Amino acid sequence: MVIAAWTEEEGVRFGTDMLGSAVAAGRLTLDYAYDLVDSEGLRFGDELDRIGFKGTQPVVMEAPHAYVECHIEQGPVLLRDEVAIGVVTGVQSISWQKVTLHGRAAHAGTTPTELRVDAGLAAAQIVVKVREMVDSGTYGRLRATVGHIATSPGLPSVVPDRAELTVDLRNPDDEQMAAAERDFAAFLDTLPELQPCSGLRVETKRMAKTSHVPFDQRVQDVIAKAAAELGHQPVTLMSGAGHDAQEMAAIAPTAMVFVRGQHDGISHNPREYSTPEDCTAGISVLANTLLRLTDEPTDALPGEGAPTAEDALTGEDALPGEDALPGETHDA
Amino acid sequence: MVIAAWTEEEGVRFGTDMLGSAVAAGRLTLDYAYDLVDSEGLRFGDELDRIGFKGTQPVVMEAPHAYVECHIEQGPVLLRDEVAIGVVTGVQSISWQKVTLHGRAAHAGTTPTELRVDAGLAAAQIVVKVREMVDSGTYGRLRATVGHIATSPGLPSVVPDRAELTVDLRNPDDEQMAAAERDFAAFLDTLPELQPCSGLRVETKRMAKTSHVPFDQRVQDVIAKAAAELGHQPVTLMSGAGHDAQEMAAIAPTAMVFVRGQHDGISHNPREYSTPEDCTAGISVLANTLLRLTDEPTDALPGEGAPTAEDALTGEDALPGEDALPGETHDA
């Protein structure tokens, strides 16, 4: 049995989350990771060396028999359902884009409305549109967030010539995600025509894209049994956030235990809180799940359809694929 | 005859535009002006002293017989109408507000839409709303601009807990401006109800507010006659931007000559351009207007209903009134 403490799961300092597990699972190379730099230009490999954490053993893992991770839910579902433990069915698909709008700067007082190409207005139209897409129900359990909006030059009396925003789409269903992305792209294509005057240019840049990662059904069943035995009525739920488990799922049968959070499940925040009782429940379910899994014969897993070690990217040549661009992502 | 070269008309460095003319006309005190500081903490009075421009003569003007100013239009109207010279009827009303929206930060992946208080979405709804108000035609010749939009914390995967935007409204009609301001305030009142979840707080701060400044009809007539005599078919138009003339209008019969700009009238920009022929036309009309005005008996002006010297604020005790807050404005 191996206890893993993954390096740089958050990706806050070096810009790529799930970094340690992505290297261990072979999706990113060690050299790629070492060469990442923080905002002060310091190199990840050098910083590991400096603090004595740069080991000499090979870091690409042999596929384990199974992988299980325990985490606060980071959402309000278990609290609403009044249960301490959740069995996680997988990680939803994530799509991040940066959209940059190029309009035309103009004097707010002297420029008639019909002669404006207002990049800030176009940005606002996008924000309103993505919420309409969510509210329409057309895309299943789509969630959409525009976290960053900024206009330039940003002066009260100047029509913005430039606006920048990020669009974060999530969906537990890859097909519904594809439909949402397709329709959103079509909306961006029509955006210049929605302006009173020609000249709006829309530029998009993919920041991150991950497919739905389904977890192994057998490992989920083992977690559910362990939880029931300890007196918990576990519910199943999709993870809204990213976790190291999504990297490990590429090389081993994987699932997760979620622990109820208080305060609507708020996390990455001083108010993040799970009760001692719920934490105890989570660790007990994790421990009992691991005991059950270690008792299995080594060929009992993976179950049918689950990824095998051979499916995973391996070796130093594996470059980050388009499905999981490193870089600006931070979503653990 | 006096040629005036006003100090700090743009207000770029010390944050208050029309500064010299506002002091000369008695709306702002000299001490108020001297105590303004730039972004590096340097005092306006000290900087005037340093460059030898801090004079010793009293700066509050005696009301002149009349005041005329010649300026590039800063808009596309004369170009569209194919005329070199415009007679300016006045400066439109300006209303600037900063709107700050306080929502609730939330994880983009884990937080159901119905539990979100998204400050960025609310900001976008405001931007879309003000353009709808303009397009409705309900408020006459209303112009509305949201130049600055910014969300906080501004991360792709975090629902913004805070958004800030500026709303610039302009109208040549004070009543229609009042109606627009009233309806906009009512919209802000309903904005929390438009969110799926309670908790949105809307904060507004007045940044600037000036009333419509009508120019003197007789001075306008003199300009029109001088222009016609020089072979120009002058059109009348409202100024979309602020000018020193709006300060002088408080103490003397005032109007302006506008000269056609090329490139849609773009100004404050290296592309600002009026042809030598149009500049010649503007200066000729200005000179001929002044000659006509100096030939008049001193009691010929002001005309009926125009402001008189006695209406103006005078003296060192005059503080900036609410109708023309100094500070963050820059719109000349």
Side-chain angles (χ1 to χ4, degrees):
Chain A
M1 203 183 299
V2 173
I3 297 174
W6 300 112
T7 297
E8 187 67 341
E9 189 256 9
E10 293 295 344
V12 173
R13 181 167 170 197
F14 291 94
T16 298
D17 53 4
M18 274 71 80
L19 184 58
S21 54
V23 171
R27 185 172 66 77
L28 301 178
T29 67
L30 188 59
D31 287 344
Y32 174 86
Y34 280 167
D35 284 341
L36 292 169
V37 289
D38 69 7
S39 61
E40 292 173 4
L42 296 172
R43 212 174 139 267
F44 180 62
D46 296 340
E47 287 297 279
L48 281 182
D49 203 19
R50 188 177 63 77
I51 64 172
F53 273 50
K54 190 173 181 181
T56 53
Q57 299 297 312
V59 292
V60 178
M61 281 184 78
E62 280 189 53
H65 176 65
Y67 176 87
V68 187
E69 184 176 341
C70 180
H71 206 285
I72 183 176
E73 179 200 343
Q74 302 185 279
V77 177
L78 296 177
L79 188 71
R80 185 193 63 195
D81 292 353
E82 299 182 357
V83 294
I85 297 297
V87 181
V88 187
T89 59
V91 178
Q92 65 187 341
S93 169
I94 300 178
S95 158
W96 281 9
Q97 286 180 80
K98 187 189 318 194
V99 182
T100 308
L101 300 157
H102 302 271
R104 195 165 60 227
H107 193 296
T110 63
T111 313
T113 306
E114 66 270 20
L115 296 180
R116 297 185 178 199
V117 187
D118 183 337
L121 173 67
Q125 289 168 327
I126 291 173
V127 178
V128 169
K129 174 67 181 183
V130 295
R131 176 61 70 91
E132 279 172 7
M133 286 176 65
V134 169
D135 291 344
S136 73
T138 308
Y139 310 96
R141 291 161 63 195
L142 175 70
R143 283 177 188 156
T145 304
V146 177
H148 168 70
I149 315 170
T151 55
S152 166
L155 299 172
S157 63
V158 180
V159 175
D161 66 343
R162 192 164 173 280
E164 192 181 276
L165 65 160
T166 55
V167 179
D168 170 316
L169 303 178
R170 315 252 180 160
N171 207 309
D173 183 297
D174 281 338
E175 271 179 46
Q176 284 172 325
M177 178 62 121
E181 290 204 286
R182 200 167 50 236
D183 289 357
F184 179 61
F187 173 75
L188 292 184
D189 284 343
T190 65
L191 196 55
E193 297 157 28
L194 296 181
Q195 314 310 314
C197 185
S198 68
L200 183 74
R201 190 162 63 78
V202 181
E203 189 187 336
T204 60
K205 187 184 164 209
R206 167 72 64 198
M207 295 167 69
K209 167 84 188 182
T210 58
S211 295
H212 166 218
V213 178
F215 286 155
D216 185 81
Q217 187 59 53
R218 270 209 59 198
V219 178
Q220 292 179 50
D221 292 344
V222 175
I223 295 170
K225 270 184 210 150
E229 206 175 66
L230 290 163
H232 304 292
Q233 195 62 270
V235 299
T236 56
L237 76 171
M238 172 70 58
S239 172
H243 294 285
D244 289 310
Q246 76 195 54
E247 299 292 339
M248 296 307 294
I251 63 167
T254 293
M256 291 182 71
V257 179
F258 267 179
V259 173
R260 170 169 54 191
Q262 303 294 316
H263 312 310
D264 291 328
I266 193 170
S267 70
H268 299 168
N269 186 294
R271 293 178 64 227
E272 173 174 329
Y273 183 67
S274 292
T275 64
E277 292 73 22
D278 287 355
C279 291
T280 303
I283 294 301
S284 299
V285 170
L286 175 66
N288 279 275
T289 299
L290 295 178
L291 286 175
R292 282 170 176 268
L293 289 169
T294 53
D295 281 345
E296 287 180 335
T298 50
D299 60 351
L301 293 167
E304 207 173 298
T308 65
E310 287 69 36
D311 292 334
L313 297 172
T314 52
E316 305 255 311
D317 295 332
L319 288 170
E322 217 213 338
D323 270 4
L325 290 176
E328 300 178 57
T329 74
H330 163 48
D331 185 58
Chain B
M1 201 185 299
V2 173
I3 297 175
W6 300 112
T7 297
E8 186 68 341
E9 188 258 8
E10 292 296 344
V12 174
R13 180 166 169 196
F14 291 95
T16 298
D17 53 5
M18 275 70 80
L19 184 59
S21 54
V23 170
R27 185 173 65 79
L28 302 179
T29 67
L30 188 59
D31 288 343
Y32 175 86
Y34 281 167
D35 285 339
L36 291 171
V37 289
D38 69 7
S39 60
E40 291 171 6
L42 296 172
R43 212 174 138 267
F44 180 64
D46 296 339
E47 287 296 279
L48 281 183
D49 203 18
R50 187 177 63 79
I51 64 173
F53 274 51
K54 190 172 180 181
T56 53
Q57 300 296 314
V59 291
V60 178
M61 284 183 77
E62 281 189 52
H65 176 64
Y67 175 87
V68 188
E69 183 176 342
C70 180
H71 205 285
I72 183 174
E73 180 201 342
Q74 302 185 280
V77 176
L78 296 178
L79 187 71
R80 185 192 62 194
D81 292 354
E82 299 182 356
V83 294
I85 298 297
V87 182
V88 188
T89 59
V91 179
Q92 65 188 341
S93 167
I94 299 179
S95 158
W96 282 6
Q97 286 181 79
K98 187 187 325 196
V99 182
T100 308
L101 300 157
H102 302 271
R104 193 165 60 228
H107 192 295
T110 64
T111 313
T113 306
E114 67 269 21
L115 296 180
R116 297 184 178 199
V117 187
D118 183 337
L121 174 67
Q125 289 168 328
I126 291 173
V127 178
V128 169
K129 175 68 180 181
V130 295
R131 176 61 70 93
E132 279 172 6
M133 287 175 64
V134 169
D135 290 344
S136 73
T138 309
Y139 311 97
R141 290 162 63 196
L142 175 68
R143 284 178 188 156
T145 305
V146 177
H148 168 70
I149 316 170
T151 55
S152 167
L155 299 174
S157 64
V158 180
V159 175
D161 67 342
R162 191 162 175 279
E164 192 180 275
L165 65 161
T166 55
V167 178
D168 169 316
L169 302 178
R170 316 249 179 162
N171 207 310
D173 184 295
D174 281 339
E175 271 179 46
Q176 284 172 323
M177 179 63 122
E181 290 205 288
R182 198 167 52 237
D183 290 357
F184 179 60
F187 172 75
L188 291 184
D189 285 344
T190 65
L191 197 54
E193 296 157 28
L194 297 181
Q195 313 310 314
C197 184
S198 68
L200 183 75
R201 191 161 64 78
V202 181
E203 188 187 337
T204 60
K205 186 185 165 207
R206 167 72 64 198
M207 294 167 68
K209 166 85 188 185
T210 57
S211 295
H212 167 218
V213 177
F215 286 155
D216 184 81
Q217 187 59 54
R218 272 209 56 199
V219 179
Q220 291 180 49
D221 292 343
V222 175
I223 295 171
K225 271 184 210 147
E229 207 173 65
L230 291 164
H232 303 291
Q233 195 62 270
V235 300
T236 58
L237 75 173
M238 171 71 57
S239 172
H243 295 286
D244 289 309
Q246 77 194 53
E247 298 292 338
M248 297 306 295
I251 64 168
T254 293
M256 290 181 73
V257 180
F258 268 178
V259 174
R260 169 168 55 189
Q262 303 295 315
H263 312 311
D264 292 330
I266 193 170
S267 71
H268 300 168
N269 185 295
R271 294 178 64 228
E272 172 173 330
Y273 183 67
S274 293
T275 64
E277 293 73 23
D278 287 356
C279 290
T280 304
I283 294 301
S284 300
V285 170
L286 175 66
N288 280 276
T289 298
L290 296 177
L291 286 174
R292 284 170 176 267
L293 289 169
T294 52
D295 282 346
E296 288 178 334
T298 51
D299 61 349
L301 293 167
E304 207 172 295
T308 66
E310 287 69 34
D311 292 334
L313 297 172
T314 51
E316 305 254 313
D317 296 332
L319 287 172
E322 217 216 340
D323 271 2
L325 289 178
E328 303 178 54
T329 75
H330 163 48
D331 186 58

